[in-house]
Amino acid sequence: MTRRLVIAGLLSASGVLAAGAAQSEPTLEGVLSAKGLSGFVTLDRLPMPDHPVLQTGRLVWEDTCMGCHGGNKATGAPKITATKKWQPRIAKGLPTLIDHATNGFVGKTYAEMPPRGANPDLSDSDVAAAVTFMVWASGGADQVLGFLAKKE
């Protein structure tokens, strides 16, 4: 037991364990698939984006959106990382998706997106950041980066 701790300490001090930990962080390419990540998706399973708006959206997603968009099948909400479910939504454009998330929306299958994800304390910019993060993490990175570039 002591020998293992000494070896682990030496590896950690030399940076070997730190390098291994960095490789295990999720990447955008690693989380995208037609059905999305298996099981319920939590924040630790999603990549950290570079853009500050997306970083804010990631936190808002965890606090407000994850309960439905993490894979709760009972809600009918598209699961984050599920490119097949998100593709037709992304095609509508970010302004439409942001409007639906801000003001609420009832889809063709009667699944409801409540206004502000049922969190009235969210600002318009918080809602927009969460939507852009979900689109980014669900196959719409190119659209999101173009949208954010126009905003800057």
Side-chain angles (χ1 to χ4, degrees), residues 21-98:
Q23 291 176 354
S24 67
E25 290 182 23
T27 64
L28 186 57
E29 297 78 22
V31 300
L32 297 176
S33 69
K35 292 186 178 183
L37 290 171
S38 63
F40 193 80
V41 181
T42 52
L43 192 67
D44 60 317
R45 298 181 67 197
L46 297 173
M48 175 60 80
D50 291 331
H51 198 284
V53 169
L54 296 175
Q55 291 172 2
T56 297
R58 187 175 187 265
L59 295 175
V60 173
W61 178 83
E62 179 187 37
D63 190 49
T64 298
C65 313
M66 182 175 69
C68 295
H69 290 281
N72 183 345
K73 292 179 183 179
T75 67
K79 183 180 193 176
I80 195 167
T81 72
T83 58
K84 186 174 180 181
K85 290 286 186 180
W86 278 94
Q87 189 176 30
R89 291 165 172 87
I90 292 169
K92 294 178 181 182
L94 275 162
T96 297
L97 296 177
I98 291 168

Side-chain angles (χ1 to χ4, degrees), residues 76 89 106-112:
R89 291 165 172 87
V106 177
K108 64 182 180 181
T109 60
Y110 303 105
E112 180 183 3

